[in-house]
Every structure is written in C-alpha cells, then in structure tokens.
C-alpha cells in the first residue's frame, strides 16, 4: 500500500512539473510571434489564392465573376502570403513582347514595362503605384500556384480578352533578382516545368509580370 501511495505522489508531481514547464515556456515566447500568427490568420480569412481584386479594392472569387464592369476592372490575382506576412498579388497583364532585363537605347526593358504599367492599363487611385517586378522567390510562388491563378485569369479573359492575359502559359519570366556571381546575369523561371536559372540580362526571350502587396 505504501508503494502505491508513493507511485501516485510521483505521478502527480510529474504532471505538475509538465504543466508548470508549459506555462513557463509560453510566458517566455516573444509577443511578436503571437501577433504575427494572429495577423496571418486575419489575412488568410480575407484573401485566398486566386481571388480577383477589382479596381475598387473589392474581392471576388473566380466562380462568382460573371461580368466585366469597365468602371471596375480586375487589377490583380492573389498569389499568396510571403514570409513576412504580406499578401501579394499578380497584375492581370504581362508584357506583350519579350523584353531584356537591362535597359539600353535600342530596346525596352523590364523596368520600362513596370514603370509605365499603371499608365498603360489606366490604373488610378491606390493601384496607380507600387507595382514591382517579383523576386525569384515570388516568381517561384506564382509558378507553384499557377493553376489556381490561371483559372482566375482565364475567367476574366473569356469575358473580355483585353481585360487580362489568357493565363501565364509556358513563358519564361524575369525576376528582379540578380545573379550573385555574374553582374550581367539575372534569375528567371521557365513556366514549362518550373526551372529556375540565370541568364544574361540582355537576353530577349523572356516576358515580364508585375506584382504588388495588399
């Protein structure tokens, strides 16, 4: 009987020790971790990959998008959440032509496209600025979510083929990320198979897409 009582007391002590260790560890966690988790949950509740963002900042699912309003055109498709918790979206238009990364006096560059993007597609208000060329990590995320993104882009294109590109297709897309070892090289992703590599900045067989955060 005495051994049983001792065993029970030891078990109670172990349970209490585990409980107090859990409380202690939770109290030691930095506050910004819980805040970040909370922010990400809020973002995920508001946005989902493939959501269509309209010019008035409203959000609509591809399945619910049935008509084009020329006064409230689609501006972006949600791609995902970055490591820092920011939601980012893909502009619904890509460059019509292949462009080189490095600007010169004879050829347009990726930077010409992004600097005139809002003006070209008549974007005003908050969407008239803050577009940028995606990093290699962001282009990779776009590739990974391409099927959902393409569904939204093609839905828009079917309603009005001037309102969006007809999906990302199998193009090669520039990123804004430069090579760490070669000054005249930059990173790209090939949307045939997701291959990411480096190529000369004056290569003219790649398209450009733009993104922005929301």
């Amino acid at each position: 009987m005495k051994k049983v009582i001792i065993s029970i007391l030891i078990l109670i002590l172990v349970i209490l020790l585990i409980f107090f260790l859990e409380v202690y560890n939770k109290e030691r966690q930095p506050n910004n971790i819980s805040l970040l988790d909370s922010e990400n949950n809020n973002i995920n509740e508001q946005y989902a990959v493939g959501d269509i963002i309209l010019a008035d900042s409203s959000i609509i699912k591809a399945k619910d998008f049935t008509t084009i309003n020329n006064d409230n055109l689609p501006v972006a498709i949600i791609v995902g959440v970055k490591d820092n918790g920011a939601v980012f979206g893909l502009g619904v238009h890509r460059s019509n032509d292949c462009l080189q990364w490095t600007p010169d006096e004879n050829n347009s560059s990726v930077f010409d496209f992004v600097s005139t993007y809002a003006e070209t597609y008549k974007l005003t208000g908050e969407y008239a600025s803050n577009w940028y060329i995606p990093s290699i990590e962001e282009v990779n995320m776009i590739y990974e979510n391409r099927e959902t993104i393409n569904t939204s882009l093609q839905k828009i294109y079917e309603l009005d083929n001037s309102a969006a590109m007809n999906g990302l297709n199998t193009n090669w897309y520039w990123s804004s990320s430069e090579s760490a070892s070669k000054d005249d090289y930059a990173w790209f992703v090939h949307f045939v198979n997701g291959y990411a590599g480096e190529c000369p900045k004056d290569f003219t067989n790649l398209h450009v897409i733009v993104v922005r955060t929301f």
Side-chain angles (χ1 to χ4, degrees), residues 81-161:
V81 181
K82 299 192 289 186
D83 290 341
N84 64 2
V87 174
F88 79 106
L90 170 72
V92 297
H93 300 280
R94 66 164 163 261
S95 62
N96 291 325
D97 302 317
C98 293
L99 300 171
Q100 62 185 41
W101 201 95
T102 304
D104 65 29
E105 59 184 17
N106 297 316
N107 297 292
S108 296
S109 73
V110 298
F111 301 99
D112 295 324
F113 178 72
V114 71
S115 67
T116 59
Y117 183 80
E119 180 182 357
T120 300
Y121 297 105
K122 299 178 173 57
L123 301 178
T124 59
E126 66 176 301
Y127 300 120
S129 59
N130 298 324
W131 296 97
Y132 64 93
I133 304 162
S135 67
I136 186 61
E137 293 82 9
E138 290 169 333
V139 181
N140 279 328
M141 188 181 294
I142 293 168
Y143 174 78
E144 290 170 1
N145 293 328
R146 68 194 181 283
E147 292 184 5
T148 303
I149 295 168
N150 281 341
T151 297
S152 299
L153 288 171
Q154 288 162 0
K155 186 69 175 289
I156 300 167
Y157 183 85
E158 288 168 4
L159 295 171
D160 182 349
N161 59 23

Side-chain angles (χ1 to χ4, degrees), residues 26 33 70 75 77 93 95 99 101 105 146 172 184 186:
K26 284 182 180 179
I33 293 178
N70 289 326
V75 297
I77 308 296
H93 300 280
S95 62
L99 300 171
W101 201 95
E105 59 184 17
R146 68 194 181 283
W172 303 34
D184 57 346

Side-chain angles (χ1 to χ4, degrees), residues 54-92:
L54 302 180
D56 66 356
S57 298
S58 58
I59 309 163
I60 188 167
K61 305 293 183 184
K63 64 182 179 61
D64 300 323
F65 192 66
T66 58
T67 186
I68 291 284
N69 179 352
N70 289 326
D71 294 325
N72 192 25
L73 290 170
V75 297
I77 308 296
I78 294 300
V79 173
V81 181
K82 299 192 289 186
D83 290 341
N84 64 2
V87 174
F88 79 106
L90 170 72
V92 297

Side-chain angles (χ1 to χ4, degrees), residues 193-213:
N193 53 15
Y195 171 75
E198 300 175 346
C199 70
K201 293 178 179 178
D202 59 1
F203 194 52
T204 55
N205 197 35
L206 287 83
H207 286 273
V208 187
I209 46 181
V210 299
V211 295
R212 78 188 310 277
T213 56

